[in-house]
Structure formats: C-alpha cells, structure tokens
Amino acid sequence: DISTIGTSIMYKKTGKDLGIELILKSLKDIGIKPEKFITFGDSSSDIPMADKLHENGYDVEFVFVGGKNKIQRKALYKIHTTESLFDKGTVEFLKSL
C-alpha cells in the first residue's frame, strides 16, 4: 500500500475496512447507533473505511486531506477535498461545519 509517507506491506485480509467492521461491531455491542460518519484520509488506501460504512447502510462522508487532484474516484457518498493538508486539512473541514 503506497501512502503519502511511504509504502506499507500488509496482510491482504487486513485493512481499514476490517477496522470499520470491528468498530461497528463494538458500537452495536454497547448499543450505540450512529446516524452519520465522517471519515478522514490522506491516501486512497483510506477510502475503504467510507466504502464499508456505505455498504452497511450508513450515511457517510469522506474528507480527503492529502492534496488536490490526488483522488480520482466516483463514490456513492460525498467526498470533500481540503485546501490545507493533513491535520490542518482536518481542522479546516471541521471549522467549516
């Protein structure tokens, strides 16, 4: 997996989509039913988080903080791209709410 800071070697059955599955199970186990999720990422490998949430019927938005024109993808949910990068992009988006 190539990201903005390097290349990661991962077992093919792991990923951010699996992480979302675990989070959803934990939330269900404690009785929390979120109405909406906003996911943040700085590389295309972060998109499976939003994809998995969407597949599970959740309202989701993906905020890309890794730079303009680096994400070329159509999705069934809203994708935002910030002017600022990384943590500053996250703050930029949150201030816009």
Side-chain angles (χ1 to χ4, degrees):
D1 176 41
I2 299 170
S3 71
T4 56
I5 61 169
T7 301
S8 299
I9 298 173
M10 301 184 304
Y11 181 60
K12 64 183 176 182
K13 292 186 179 180
T14 62
K16 298 194 177 175
D17 52 338
L18 175 61
I20 289 296
E21 286 180 16
L22 296 171
I23 289 168
L24 290 175
K25 182 184 178 322
S26 294
L27 291 173
K28 183 178 179 184
D29 289 349
I30 59 175
I32 295 176
K33 299 176 185 176
E35 293 178 16
K36 181 175 185 168
F37 287 88
I38 300 174
T39 62
F40 293 81
D42 62 9
S43 72
S44 59
S45 67
D46 295 318
I47 293 174
M49 294 184 294
D51 288 345
K52 184 56 71 174
L53 289 163
H54 178 74
E55 287 172 18
N56 280 277
Y58 289 98
D59 182 11
V60 61
E61 295 182 34
F62 179 74
V63 181
F64 184 66
V65 297
K68 285 200 172 239
N69 301 320
K70 289 188 179 181
I71 200 157
Q72 301 289 326
R73 185 171 190 280
K74 290 186 179 181
L76 299 174
Y77 46 83
K78 181 114 176 149
I79 296 178
H80 304 274
T81 302
T82 60
E83 293 287 329
S84 302
L85 300 177
F86 313 118
D87 58 332
K88 289 180 176 63
T90 300
V91 172
E92 174 188 320
F93 178 79
L94 292 173
K95 284 183 175 180
S96 75
L97 296 178

XYZ file of all heavy atoms in Angstrom:
763
model
N 0.844 -1.170 0.000
C 0.000 0.000 0.000
C 0.890 1.234 0.000
O 1.683 1.424 0.912
C -0.916 -0.019 1.221
C -1.759 1.223 1.314
O -2.252 1.677 0.272
O -1.919 1.734 2.428
N 0.762 2.067 -1.012
C 1.552 3.291 -1.101
C 0.746 4.431 -0.495
O -0.402 4.654 -0.864
C 1.905 3.615 -2.561
C 2.743 2.473 -3.140
C 2.630 4.940 -2.667
C 2.957 2.562 -4.615
N 1.350 5.135 0.458
C 0.671 6.266 1.092
C 1.534 7.514 0.937
O 2.572 7.486 0.293
C 0.406 5.974 2.575
O 1.604 5.998 3.301
N 1.102 8.578 1.578
C 1.820 9.844 1.456
C 3.157 9.835 2.181
O 4.014 10.659 1.897
C 0.966 11.006 1.999
O 0.606 10.712 3.337
C -0.264 11.219 1.165
N 3.349 8.908 3.123
C 4.609 8.894 3.874
C 5.477 7.679 3.609
O 6.559 7.560 4.153
C 4.348 9.015 5.397
C 3.504 7.855 5.899
C 3.723 10.359 5.738
C 3.422 7.761 7.408
N 5.003 6.754 2.778
C 5.823 5.582 2.489
C 4.994 4.452 1.921
O 3.873 4.640 1.472
N 5.576 3.272 1.941
C 4.905 2.067 1.462
C 4.770 1.094 2.618
O 5.741 0.804 3.307
C 5.718 1.419 0.322
O 5.860 2.367 -0.740
C 5.023 0.178 -0.200
N 3.558 0.599 2.811
C 3.295 -0.358 3.878
C 3.027 -1.720 3.265
O 2.347 -1.824 2.247
C 2.070 0.055 4.691
O 2.267 1.308 5.294
N 3.555 -2.745 3.885
C 3.261 -4.109 3.471
C 2.283 -4.674 4.488
O 2.561 -4.680 5.684
C 4.540 -4.957 3.402
C 5.480 -4.351 2.364
C 4.204 -6.402 3.082
C 6.848 -4.982 2.317
N 1.110 -5.108 3.978
C 0.059 -5.585 4.870
C -0.436 -6.940 4.392
O -0.410 -7.239 3.204
C -1.126 -4.615 4.871
C -0.770 -3.223 5.312
S -2.194 -2.108 5.410
C -2.885 -2.182 3.786
N -0.912 -7.734 5.327
C -1.573 -8.978 5.002
C -2.845 -8.647 4.237
O -3.587 -7.727 4.618
C -1.879 -9.752 6.290
C -2.544 -11.082 6.080
C -1.914 -12.090 5.341
C -3.793 -11.338 6.611
C -2.524 -13.312 5.147
C -4.406 -12.568 6.426
C -3.771 -13.545 5.683
O -4.385 -14.752 5.488
N -3.135 -9.355 3.168
C -4.238 -8.983 2.282
C -5.622 -9.026 2.935
O -6.556 -8.443 2.417
C -4.229 -9.837 1.023
C -4.466 -11.307 1.246
C -4.371 -12.063 -0.062
C -4.503 -13.561 0.176
N -4.370 -14.292 -1.072
N -5.766 -9.690 4.055
C -7.065 -9.737 4.724
C -7.208 -8.660 5.792
O -8.181 -8.649 6.531
C -7.294 -11.121 5.325
C -7.465 -12.191 4.267
C -7.838 -13.505 4.881
C -8.028 -14.553 3.791
N -8.402 -15.848 4.330
N -6.228 -7.777 5.905
C -6.346 -6.672 6.856
C -6.580 -5.384 6.080
O -6.388 -5.321 4.881
C -5.081 -6.513 7.707
O -3.982 -6.201 6.846
C -4.785 -7.748 8.500
N -6.973 -4.365 6.764
C -7.182 -3.087 6.112
C -8.129 -2.228 6.917
O -8.667 -2.649 7.946
N -8.325 -1.041 6.430
C -9.175 -0.106 7.154
C -10.635 -0.509 7.099
O -11.402 -0.169 7.991
C -8.937 1.291 6.625
C -7.481 1.663 6.885
C -7.177 3.087 6.725
C -5.701 3.271 7.088
N -5.243 4.581 6.879
N -11.019 -1.269 6.069
C -12.391 -1.765 6.033
C -12.633 -2.786 7.148
O -13.696 -2.795 7.767
C -12.738 -2.351 4.667
C -11.750 -3.396 4.175
O -10.591 -3.416 4.641
O -12.137 -4.191 3.293
N -11.645 -3.613 7.445
C -11.765 -4.544 8.565
C -11.840 -3.771 9.883
O -12.625 -4.119 10.769
C -10.588 -5.516 8.605
C -10.557 -6.465 9.812
C -11.787 -7.349 9.850
C -9.294 -7.305 9.805
N -11.064 -2.719 9.997
C -11.125 -1.883 11.195
C -12.518 -1.314 11.405
O -13.033 -1.298 12.529
N -13.145 -0.872 10.319
C -14.510 -0.347 10.418
C -15.472 -1.437 10.862
O -16.360 -1.199 11.685
C -14.951 0.287 9.080
C -14.196 1.601 8.838
C -16.460 0.494 9.025
C -14.482 2.700 9.843
N -15.309 -2.654 10.324
C -16.181 -3.757 10.746
C -16.072 -3.982 12.254
O -17.082 -4.183 12.933
C -15.819 -5.037 10.007
C -16.251 -5.049 8.560
C -15.877 -6.341 7.849
O -15.565 -7.345 8.513
O -15.914 -6.338 6.611
N -14.848 -3.938 12.777
C -14.639 -4.133 14.215
C -15.260 -2.998 15.028
O -15.858 -3.222 16.077
C -13.147 -4.275 14.516
C -12.460 -5.499 13.900
C -10.952 -5.418 14.091
C -13.025 -6.782 14.459
N -15.121 -1.777 14.534
C -15.711 -0.620 15.222
C -17.230 -0.726 15.219
O -17.889 -0.500 16.241
C -15.239 0.699 14.577
C -13.765 0.929 14.899
C -16.103 1.877 15.027
C -13.119 2.031 14.099
N -17.816 -1.088 14.077
C -19.273 -1.221 14.005
C -19.775 -2.288 14.964
O -20.808 -2.110 15.619
C -19.713 -1.532 12.571
C -19.552 -0.402 11.565
C -19.909 -0.882 10.162
C -20.373 0.812 11.953
N -19.063 -3.393 15.048
C -19.450 -4.460 15.982
C -19.386 -3.957 17.428
O -20.299 -4.189 18.215
C -18.560 -5.680 15.818
C -18.966 -6.833 16.730
C -18.020 -8.004 16.635
C -18.374 -9.136 17.570
N -18.872 -8.822 18.862
N -18.316 -3.239 17.751
C -18.180 -2.711 19.109
C -19.299 -1.732 19.444
O -19.856 -1.768 20.543
C -16.822 -2.027 19.279
O -15.783 -2.956 19.182
N -19.620 -0.858 18.501
C -20.703 0.098 18.727
C -22.030 -0.625 18.930
O -22.806 -0.270 19.821
C -20.802 1.082 17.557
C -19.659 2.075 17.410
C -19.804 2.867 16.119
C -19.580 3.007 18.609
N -22.283 -1.637 18.105
C -23.520 -2.409 18.245
C -23.579 -3.106 19.600
O -24.619 -3.102 20.259
C -23.611 -3.434 17.117
C -24.888 -4.225 17.137
C -24.953 -5.202 15.981
C -26.248 -6.002 16.062
N -26.330 -7.021 15.032
N -22.452 -3.672 20.008
C -22.399 -4.392 21.288
C -22.733 -3.502 22.483
O -23.270 -3.977 23.476
C -21.019 -5.025 21.499
C -20.760 -6.208 20.569
O -21.707 -6.686 19.907
O -19.588 -6.636 20.497
N -22.400 -2.218 22.397
C -22.687 -1.321 23.520
C -23.943 -0.468 23.286
O -24.243 0.430 24.064
C -21.471 -0.436 23.883
C -21.032 0.429 22.708
C -20.326 -1.289 24.380
C -19.910 1.406 23.031
N -24.641 -0.756 22.187
C -25.922 -0.110 21.946
C -25.872 1.277 21.345
O -26.836 2.026 21.455
N -24.772 1.631 20.707
C -24.673 2.943 20.067
C -25.012 2.790 18.588
O -24.467 1.931 17.897
C -23.263 3.540 20.242
C -23.008 3.815 21.720
C -23.104 4.807 19.404
C -21.610 4.313 22.029
N -25.938 3.653 18.110
C -26.381 3.609 16.717
C -26.127 4.966 16.064
O -27.001 5.834 16.068
C -27.856 3.260 16.639
C -28.182 1.899 17.223
C -29.667 1.639 17.221
C -29.955 0.318 17.913
N -31.384 0.065 18.017
N -24.922 5.174 15.511
C -24.618 6.462 14.885
C -25.527 6.749 13.687
O -25.907 5.837 12.953
C -23.173 6.313 14.423
C -22.627 5.154 15.193
C -23.794 4.261 15.457
N -25.862 8.014 13.521
C -26.660 8.420 12.369
C -25.781 8.717 11.167
O -26.225 8.578 10.028
C -27.480 9.665 12.712
C -28.547 9.404 13.745
C -29.318 10.654 14.095
O -29.248 11.658 13.355
O -30.004 10.625 15.130
N -24.547 9.166 11.420
C -23.679 9.583 10.329
C -22.221 9.414 10.733
O -21.874 9.557 11.901
C -23.943 11.055 9.995
C -23.122 11.583 8.861
C -23.518 12.999 8.514
C -22.765 13.444 7.287
N -23.285 14.687 6.739
N -21.391 9.136 9.731
C -19.950 9.064 9.934
C -19.263 10.035 8.985
O -19.700 10.218 7.846
C -19.427 7.661 9.607
C -19.772 6.618 10.623
C -20.954 5.909 10.541
C -18.889 6.326 11.650
C -21.265 4.928 11.465
C -19.194 5.344 12.586
C -20.386 4.643 12.489
N -18.179 10.627 9.457
C -17.280 11.403 8.601
C -15.908 10.766 8.761
O -15.395 10.672 9.875
C -17.234 12.892 8.997
C -18.624 13.515 8.894
C -16.235 13.635 8.105
C -18.708 14.945 9.406
N -15.345 10.288 7.654
C -14.026 9.666 7.694
C -13.018 10.609 7.052
O -13.352 11.373 6.153
C -14.011 8.303 6.980
O -14.342 8.477 5.604
C -14.999 7.340 7.615
N -11.786 10.541 7.535
C -10.715 11.393 7.035
C -9.582 10.513 6.527
O -9.298 9.468 7.114
C -10.169 12.291 8.156
C -11.149 13.310 8.645
C -12.135 12.970 9.557
C -11.088 14.617 8.194
C -13.050 13.904 10.011
C -12.000 15.569 8.643
C -12.984 15.205 9.556
N -8.922 10.957 5.458
C -7.794 10.204 4.959
C -6.890 11.050 4.088
O -7.304 12.066 3.540
N -5.629 10.604 3.986
C -4.664 11.329 3.165
C -4.130 10.490 2.011
O -3.214 10.896 1.317
C -3.512 11.865 4.020
C -2.717 10.770 4.712
O -2.939 9.578 4.418
O -1.872 11.104 5.547
N -4.705 9.297 1.806
C -4.322 8.478 0.650
C -5.516 7.637 0.221
O -6.488 7.488 0.970
C -3.123 7.582 0.979
O -3.500 6.540 1.836
N -5.438 7.086 -0.976
C -6.556 6.296 -1.488
C -6.804 5.045 -0.649
O -7.900 4.490 -0.668
C -6.332 5.933 -2.952
O -5.136 5.201 -3.096
N -5.808 4.602 0.112
C -5.997 3.421 0.956
C -6.924 3.697 2.138
O -7.317 2.780 2.849
C -4.654 2.894 1.459
O -4.064 3.817 2.345
N -7.301 4.957 2.342
C -8.218 5.313 3.423
C -9.685 5.221 2.989
O -10.576 5.190 3.828
C -7.921 6.726 3.928
C -6.554 6.824 4.565
O -6.185 5.897 5.311
O -5.843 7.812 4.313
N -9.932 5.169 1.697
C -11.299 5.146 1.177
C -12.096 3.922 1.616
O -13.301 4.031 1.849
C -11.295 5.293 -0.358
C -10.798 6.700 -0.720
C -12.666 5.043 -0.953
C -10.614 6.920 -2.191
N -11.482 2.737 1.758
C -12.282 1.583 2.186
C -13.027 1.777 3.508
O -14.031 1.101 3.741
C -11.250 0.453 2.288
C -10.233 0.810 1.248
C -10.136 2.313 1.353
N -12.578 2.706 4.338
C -13.331 2.993 5.566
C -14.728 3.486 5.197
O -15.729 2.971 5.695
C -12.631 4.076 6.400
C -11.311 3.695 6.976
S -10.610 5.001 8.028
C -10.294 6.325 6.857
N -14.778 4.489 4.332
C -16.066 5.058 3.920
C -16.865 4.049 3.103
O -18.084 3.949 3.254
C -15.842 6.342 3.134
N -16.189 3.297 2.244
C -16.882 2.280 1.440
C -17.599 1.274 2.339
O -18.757 0.929 2.099
C -15.900 1.526 0.543
C -15.372 2.352 -0.619
O -15.953 3.410 -0.931
O -14.369 1.918 -1.216
N -16.920 0.791 3.357
C -17.501 -0.219 4.252
C -18.695 0.351 5.014
O -19.714 -0.324 5.185
C -16.449 -0.740 5.229
C -16.915 -1.857 6.129
C -17.459 -3.064 5.383
C -16.384 -3.843 4.666
N -16.896 -5.097 4.067
N -18.585 1.592 5.457
C -19.703 2.223 6.143
C -20.905 2.352 5.208
O -22.036 2.064 5.586
C -19.291 3.583 6.696
C -18.327 3.526 7.878
C -17.662 4.868 8.096
C -19.050 3.062 9.133
N -20.636 2.780 3.975
C -21.706 2.919 2.986
C -22.351 1.556 2.700
O -23.577 1.448 2.636
C -21.165 3.539 1.707
C -22.197 3.676 0.640
N -23.182 4.630 0.688
C -22.413 2.956 -0.486
C -23.961 4.497 -0.372
N -23.517 3.484 -1.101
N -21.533 0.525 2.541
C -22.042 -0.829 2.295
C -22.953 -1.297 3.430
O -23.869 -2.088 3.198
C -20.884 -1.829 2.174
C -20.104 -1.726 0.906
C -18.849 -2.600 0.935
O -18.751 -3.523 1.766
O -17.947 -2.328 0.120
N -22.693 -0.815 4.631
C -23.503 -1.196 5.793
C -24.697 -0.272 6.007
O -25.358 -0.344 7.041
C -22.623 -1.248 7.052
C -21.840 -2.533 7.122
O -22.359 -3.545 7.570
N -20.603 -2.514 6.658
N -24.953 0.599 5.029
C -26.145 1.428 5.068
C -26.042 2.711 5.859
O -27.054 3.347 6.138
N -24.828 3.111 6.217
C -24.657 4.346 6.981
C -24.497 5.549 6.067
O -23.953 5.447 4.969
C -23.427 4.248 7.894
C -23.631 3.311 9.048
C -23.169 2.005 8.999
C -24.305 3.725 10.193
C -23.362 1.129 10.049
C -24.510 2.857 11.259
C -24.034 1.563 11.174
O -24.241 0.706 12.213
N -24.953 6.697 6.554
C -24.700 7.977 5.909
C -23.237 8.310 6.198
O -22.832 8.358 7.367
C -25.632 9.031 6.501
C -25.477 10.396 5.874
O -24.795 10.529 4.837
O -26.034 11.363 6.438
N -22.431 8.508 5.160
C -21.002 8.719 5.347
C -20.488 9.779 4.383
O -21.003 9.930 3.275
C -20.209 7.391 5.172
C -20.378 6.821 3.779
C -18.747 7.553 5.503
N -19.506 10.527 4.844
C -18.756 11.467 4.004
C -17.281 11.154 4.188
O -16.849 10.788 5.280
C -19.021 12.917 4.414
C -20.453 13.350 4.206
C -20.670 14.807 4.589
O -19.754 15.627 4.409
O -21.775 15.103 5.076
N -16.512 11.305 3.117
C -15.065 11.106 3.175
C -14.385 12.446 2.939
O -14.710 13.155 1.983
C -14.611 10.098 2.113
C -13.125 9.860 2.108
C -12.537 9.106 3.105
C -12.325 10.388 1.118
C -11.165 8.885 3.116
C -10.958 10.172 1.114
C -10.385 9.419 2.111
N -13.469 12.805 3.822
C -12.721 14.053 3.703
C -11.281 13.697 3.361
O -10.589 13.059 4.153
C -12.783 14.883 5.009
C -12.018 16.186 4.846
C -14.224 15.145 5.408
N -10.861 14.110 2.155
C -9.504 13.826 1.708
C -8.610 15.009 2.046
O -8.836 16.123 1.581
C -9.478 13.553 0.203
C -8.135 13.161 -0.303
C -7.556 11.964 0.089
C -7.430 13.980 -1.165
C -6.303 11.584 -0.364
C -6.188 13.615 -1.633
C -5.617 12.420 -1.234
N -7.594 14.768 2.876
C -6.697 15.833 3.338
C -5.281 15.668 2.765
O -4.339 16.256 3.268
C -6.658 15.889 4.893
C -8.024 16.234 5.453
C -6.137 14.591 5.480
N -5.165 14.900 1.689
C -3.853 14.604 1.118
C -3.476 15.428 -0.092
O -2.492 15.133 -0.756
N -4.227 16.451 -0.429
C -3.892 17.309 -1.564
C -4.921 17.212 -2.671
O -5.607 16.210 -2.826
N -5.016 18.265 -3.447
C -5.986 18.302 -4.544
C -5.561 17.400 -5.685
O -4.382 17.168 -5.913
C -6.128 19.733 -5.064
C -6.923 20.600 -4.134
C -7.447 21.805 -4.865
C -8.377 22.519 -3.952
N -9.690 22.657 -4.451
N -6.540 16.916 -6.405
C -6.353 16.107 -7.612
C -5.614 14.794 -7.382
O -5.162 14.176 -8.323
C -5.634 16.919 -8.700
C -6.398 18.169 -9.070
O -7.620 18.139 -9.157
N -5.693 19.257 -9.254
N -5.463 14.368 -6.160
C -4.808 13.092 -5.897
C -5.819 11.967 -5.779
O -5.445 10.818 -5.726
C -3.963 13.163 -4.628
C -2.734 14.005 -4.791
C -1.847 13.888 -3.583
C -0.596 14.716 -3.768
N 0.288 14.601 -2.626
N -7.076 12.323 -5.730
C -8.099 11.301 -5.592
C -9.074 11.435 -6.757
O -9.757 12.411 -6.879
C -8.785 11.392 -4.226
C -9.449 10.097 -3.892
C -9.730 12.494 -4.104
C -9.656 9.919 -2.423
N -9.021 10.488 -7.633
C -9.875 10.486 -8.812
C -10.809 9.290 -8.688
O -10.462 8.190 -9.067
C -9.021 10.362 -10.081
C -8.002 11.452 -10.261
C -8.649 12.777 -10.605
O -9.668 12.821 -11.286
N -8.066 13.864 -10.132
N -11.970 9.520 -8.125
C -12.849 8.392 -7.860
C -14.283 8.863 -7.723
O -14.551 9.857 -7.079
C -12.413 7.744 -6.548
C -13.146 6.499 -6.211
C -12.449 5.872 -5.003
N -12.942 4.564 -4.751
C -14.079 4.310 -4.116
N -14.827 5.290 -3.694
N -14.471 3.081 -3.914
N -15.177 8.124 -8.325
C -16.595 8.386 -8.121
C -17.051 7.530 -6.956
O -16.618 6.397 -6.804
C -17.389 8.044 -9.373
C -17.144 8.998 -10.517
C -18.045 8.694 -11.668
C -17.781 9.698 -12.780
N -18.643 9.470 -13.926
N -17.904 8.083 -6.150
C -18.390 7.341 -4.986
C -19.880 7.576 -4.843
O -20.430 8.526 -5.399
C -17.654 7.786 -3.728
N -20.495 6.743 -4.064
C -21.919 6.861 -3.803
C -22.189 7.726 -2.585
O -23.309 7.770 -2.096
C -22.519 5.466 -3.602
C -22.386 4.539 -4.806
C -22.878 3.138 -4.457
C -23.159 5.085 -5.997
N -21.165 8.393 -2.101
C -21.280 9.283 -0.949
C -20.426 10.511 -1.239
O -19.635 10.537 -2.169
C -20.820 8.586 0.338
C -19.512 7.843 0.183
C -18.296 8.523 0.284
C -19.476 6.486 -0.111
C -17.101 7.857 0.106
C -18.288 5.819 -0.280
C -17.092 6.512 -0.175
O -15.904 5.869 -0.356
N -20.586 11.524 -0.411
C -19.896 12.799 -0.629
C -18.415 12.686 -0.294
O -18.051 12.128 0.737
C -20.555 13.874 0.241
C -19.955 15.232 0.084
C -20.936 16.162 -0.538
C -20.309 17.534 -0.581
N -20.705 18.324 -1.653
N -17.567 13.219 -1.182
C -16.125 13.302 -0.939
C -15.729 14.769 -0.957
O -16.022 15.487 -1.909
C -15.316 12.528 -2.003
C -15.636 11.036 -1.935
C -13.813 12.773 -1.810
C -14.917 10.198 -2.969
N -15.086 15.209 0.114
C -14.584 16.579 0.222
C -13.067 16.550 0.045
O -12.413 15.599 0.460
C -14.870 17.173 1.609
C -16.303 17.139 1.994
N -17.191 18.129 1.637
C -17.020 16.239 2.704
C -18.386 17.830 2.123
N -18.299 16.685 2.773
N -12.521 17.602 -0.530
C -11.075 17.772 -0.603
C -10.746 19.122 0.017
O -11.339 20.133 -0.350
C -10.576 17.740 -2.064
O -10.971 16.500 -2.646
C -9.072 17.863 -2.139
N -9.807 19.130 0.953
C -9.459 20.375 1.637
C -8.315 21.082 0.926
O -7.520 20.458 0.214
C -9.056 20.096 3.097
O -7.925 19.222 3.113
C -10.210 19.479 3.867
N -8.240 22.384 1.120
C -7.120 23.168 0.598
C -5.848 22.848 1.376
O -4.788 22.654 0.806
C -7.414 24.676 0.709
C -8.524 25.162 -0.182
C -8.114 25.223 -1.649
O -6.922 25.460 -1.938
O -9.001 25.018 -2.496
N -5.984 22.808 2.709
C -4.850 22.509 3.583
C -4.618 21.010 3.627
O -5.518 20.218 3.341
C -5.112 23.033 4.991
O -5.346 24.419 4.968
N -3.421 20.620 4.015
C -3.058 19.210 4.054
C -3.068 18.654 5.471
O -2.835 19.370 6.442
C -1.669 18.999 3.447
C -1.496 19.427 1.995
C -0.059 19.223 1.549
C -2.440 18.670 1.086
N -3.329 17.357 5.553
C -3.196 16.550 6.757
C -3.956 17.141 7.945
O -5.148 17.392 7.828
C -1.723 16.280 7.047
C -0.978 15.822 5.824
C 0.077 16.553 5.310
C -1.366 14.671 5.138
C 0.750 16.138 4.173
C -0.705 14.247 3.992
C 0.361 14.987 3.506
N -3.291 17.363 9.080
C -4.008 17.833 10.268
C -4.636 19.204 10.049
O -5.739 19.469 10.521
C -3.106 17.830 11.496
C -1.851 18.676 11.338
O -1.368 18.844 10.193
O -1.339 19.165 12.357
N -3.967 20.039 9.284
C -4.532 21.369 9.003
C -5.778 21.239 8.120
O -6.727 22.004 8.254
C -3.482 22.258 8.361
C -2.392 22.677 9.328
C -1.363 23.574 8.639
C -0.314 24.074 9.597
N 0.508 23.069 10.207
N -5.788 20.263 7.232
C -6.964 19.995 6.414
C -8.126 19.498 7.251
O -9.282 19.862 7.019
N -7.827 18.667 8.236
C -8.862 18.177 9.141
C -9.487 19.344 9.901
O -10.712 19.471 9.975
C -8.273 17.143 10.124
O -7.734 16.050 9.373
C -9.328 16.644 11.083
N -8.647 20.205 10.432
C -9.147 21.385 11.167
C -9.947 22.286 10.220
O -11.009 22.789 10.586
C -7.986 22.153 11.834
C -8.458 23.470 12.416
C -7.342 21.283 12.909
N -9.441 22.489 8.997
C -10.144 23.305 8.011
C -11.568 22.769 7.788
O -12.536 23.531 7.809
C -9.377 23.285 6.698
C -10.072 23.968 5.539
C -9.336 23.736 4.220
O -8.086 23.771 4.196
O -10.031 23.487 3.208
N -11.689 21.467 7.595
C -13.009 20.879 7.369
C -13.896 21.031 8.597
O -15.061 21.422 8.476
C -12.900 19.395 6.979
C -14.247 18.769 6.802
C -14.973 18.969 5.647
C -14.819 18.021 7.822
C -16.255 18.415 5.494
C -16.079 17.463 7.676
C -16.799 17.658 6.508
N -13.370 20.722 9.759
C -14.173 20.788 10.984
C -14.662 22.211 11.243
O -15.797 22.409 11.689
C -13.392 20.248 12.178
C -13.107 18.740 12.125
C -12.177 18.349 13.263
C -14.387 17.934 12.134
N -13.842 23.201 10.944
C -14.270 24.590 11.118
C -15.389 24.975 10.150
O -16.138 25.885 10.409
C -13.084 25.544 10.930
C -12.163 25.574 12.114
C -11.042 26.590 11.912
C -10.174 26.722 13.130
N -9.085 27.699 12.923
N -15.470 24.254 9.019
C -16.494 24.566 8.030
C -17.868 24.032 8.406
O -18.868 24.378 7.784
C -16.093 24.013 6.656
O -16.268 22.605 6.600
N -17.921 23.186 9.420
C -19.221 22.586 9.815
C -20.107 23.567 10.540
O -19.706 24.444 11.205
C -18.980 21.352 10.694
C -18.273 20.201 10.014
C -18.044 19.058 11.001
C -19.063 19.689 8.824
